[in-house]
Amino acid sequence: MKNLNLHTDDPDLQATADKISAGSRITPEEGLQLYNKAGLSLLGLLSGIARRKHNDNYAFFNRNFHIEPTNRCVYNCRFCSYHKPAGDHDSWEYSQDEMLDIVKGFDNKEVTEVHIVGGVHPSYDINYCGQLIRKIKQHRPGIHVKAFSAIELDYMITKTGISILEGLKQLRECGLDSIPGGGAEIFDEEIRREICPEKTSAERWLEIHATAHSIGINSNATMLYGHIENYAHRIDHMSMIRELQDKTGGFNAFIPLKYKKANNPMAYLGEVSIIEDLKNYAVARIFLDNITHIKAYWPMIGKENAQLSLLFGTDDFDGTIDDTTRIYSMAGAEEKNPGMSTDEICRLIRDAGFVPVERDSLYNFIHTFAL
């Protein structure tokens, strides 16, 4: 399909739709045009074209669990509901033995990934975190360790006094397999000064991911949306991700993360609607033509909305999780005790008309389920 008759009086929108249909890359200006001018039905159509190009009729998930070592953090981002000071009744700090006990709790379960991310604890350095990874790998050698956002990595590596490259090599030797995409927020520096002024810069975030990719450590990328940013900020953010992916090819997936209002200083903003969520997924799928997977993180938007997002360009549900994350539940997400069985995930995928695929952390097929 190379031409779409939109029955529109807007020749620019028609031209953009034709480019997408033909599989051509759209410009930032055209991405902004989609946000501003394309209706939801058109975005569903166009993102479906882009989705099938990358993933046919498949929708992915994995068997995973999370470890959140602490919610103590040296930073105090205005959008964050997770950070708690030491001594607060809602704060926690697990010992390495306690974290290893979480891993041991899955000894008789067919999980393939442990996802480790939390607050930037003032005393954690690369030696402590490397030791944790090593202990996990010694106990369960086959598990994929996806650990520590660029924000955590920047702090722990800088604290140790070595370069980012040296630090990542050291963690890789301990067993680090990939890194998550958190901490990207919105790359625009003016926005960052308002919502997370203390946090690692956008330039540094991109440098850390580029360095990881250069030594064979793949990663994800995220974007926090639905707060004080506008569409131009989103397109600028995704443009930087797309440019880095052109250079390295190291991003596995892109994950739009919705701002949630509960228990943080930006609550007065409210939250954007599901319509805006779906629009954002669709534009991300179309614009990020060099990233194979767009993830709908179901603990954030809810199971049914994640299912609906499959019709607007997403292809990945994340995983089973098994009630091991609190980051979004503390911010007021619908899923208070996030966990899903493979049967439930497969049902949601099938009911949306897609073929469920269990994957590993690098999106290799483990098992394809019947439609």
Side-chain angles (χ1 to χ4, degrees):
M1 181 167 56
K2 293 189 177 181
N3 290 288
L4 296 171
N5 188 353
L6 303 184
H7 303 288
T8 178
D9 294 329
D10 189 330
D12 292 334
L13 187 58
Q14 179 69 63
T16 299
D18 288 341
K19 284 181 71 173
I20 296 164
S21 181
S24 300
R25 170 170 286 189
I26 65 170
T27 66
E29 293 75 21
E30 290 164 336
L32 192 57
Q33 178 191 73
L34 291 177
Y35 271 126
N36 287 319
K37 294 185 176 181
L40 196 61
S41 59
L42 176 58
L43 287 172
L45 173 65
L46 296 175
S47 62
I49 292 170
R51 185 200 191 286
R52 286 189 293 275
K53 172 188 171 185
H54 288 287
N55 297 298
D56 197 11
N57 204 37
Y58 297 119
F60 300 88
F61 70 94
N62 69 341
R63 300 180 196 242
N64 66 344
F65 65 97
H66 289 224
I67 296 175
E68 295 171 357
T70 184
N71 63 347
R72 288 187 61 193
C73 189
V74 299
Y75 304 125
N76 193 20
C77 301
R78 294 185 64 225
F79 57 81
C80 183
S81 309
Y82 186 73
H83 165 272
K84 301 295 178 187
D88 187 285
H89 70 280
D90 287 328
S91 72
W92 71 83
E93 179 182 341
Y94 295 136
S95 68
Q96 288 195 357
D97 285 344
E98 287 173 323
M99 288 186 271
L100 195 59
D101 283 343
I102 294 173
V103 177
K104 291 176 180 177
F106 289 86
D107 280 355
N108 297 316
K109 297 183 180 181
E110 297 179 13
V111 293
T112 59
E113 175 189 287
V114 54
H115 179 290
I116 308 173
V117 68
V120 181
H121 193 283
S123 68
Y124 289 177
D125 64 9
I126 195 169
N127 298 313
Y128 178 88
C129 294
Q131 185 182 58
L132 172 63
I133 294 172
R134 196 181 296 277
K135 286 181 178 180
I136 291 171
K137 283 288 193 176
Q138 287 172 347
H139 180 74
R140 192 159 182 168
I143 201 163
H144 182 104
V145 176
K146 180 168 70 178
F148 308 122
S149 70
I151 311 304
E152 294 166 274
L153 291 167
D154 187 29
Y155 184 85
M156 73 175 72
I157 293 172
T158 301
K159 182 181 178 72
T160 310
I162 58 178
S163 70
I164 292 297
L165 178 60
E166 291 172 315
L168 286 170
K169 284 182 175 179
Q170 184 174 320
L171 289 173
R172 184 183 61 181
E173 290 171 3
C174 292
L176 178 69
D177 294 302
S178 66
I179 62 177
E185 321 315 355
I186 284 285
F187 288 150
D188 182 86
E189 290 301 336
E190 289 187 12
I191 298 290
R192 293 180 85 83
R193 278 194 291 272
E194 290 194 49
I195 68 172
C196 52
E198 306 160 311
K199 184 170 275 185
T200 299
S201 69
E203 182 181 16
R204 184 68 160 176
W205 188 98
L206 291 163
E207 176 195 351
I208 290 168
H209 282 262
T211 304
H213 298 172
S214 74
I215 59 171
I217 299 174
N218 282 31
S219 66
N220 290 335
T222 62
M223 177 178 71
L224 184 71
Y225 71 94
H227 44 92
I228 63 171
E229 92 291 353
N230 60 36
Y231 290 150
H233 294 132
R234 296 186 200 175
I235 289 294
D236 181 62
H237 183 100
M238 289 190 285
S239 293
M240 294 186 199
I241 296 292
R242 192 168 75 172
E243 289 168 10
L244 181 54
Q245 183 74 340
D246 279 342
K247 294 175 183 177
T248 69
F251 288 119
N252 293 324
F254 179 72
I255 313 164
L257 296 174
K258 179 176 183 170
Y259 164 70
K260 301 293 289 184
K261 68 179 183 179
N263 304 315
N264 64 69
M266 291 170 57
Y268 65 93
L269 292 171
E271 296 176 10
V272 298
S273 68
I274 181 61
I275 300 298
E276 188 63 35
D277 296 333
L278 298 176
K279 177 189 288 190
N280 197 55
Y281 283 124
V283 175
R285 175 62 287 164
I286 294 163
F287 190 79
L288 294 171
D289 59 345
N290 57 359
I291 295 182
T292 306
H293 303 284
I294 305 294
K295 182 181 291 188
Y297 187 54
W298 65 263
M300 173 190 68
I301 60 170
K303 299 173 184 178
E304 287 74 21
N305 288 341
Q307 178 190 40
L308 184 59
S309 77
L310 294 171
L311 302 174
F312 289 86
T314 72
D315 64 277
D316 184 30
F317 256 59
D318 194 78
T320 49
I321 296 176
D322 203 18
D323 194 19
T324 53
T325 179
R326 285 182 270 180
I327 291 175
Y328 267 94
S329 61
M330 292 174 73
E334 293 180 18
E335 304 297 338
K336 304 302 181 185
N337 304 105
M340 273 206 283
S341 68
T342 57
D343 287 345
E344 186 177 5
I345 293 176
C346 288
R347 178 185 60 78
L348 289 168
I349 291 171
R350 286 193 192 99
D351 287 352
F354 296 91
V355 177
V357 177
E358 182 186 350
R359 61 168 176 85
D360 67 12
S361 299
L362 300 178
Y363 288 87
N364 296 304
F365 283 48
I366 292 177
H367 183 75
T368 302
F369 295 82
L371 182 62

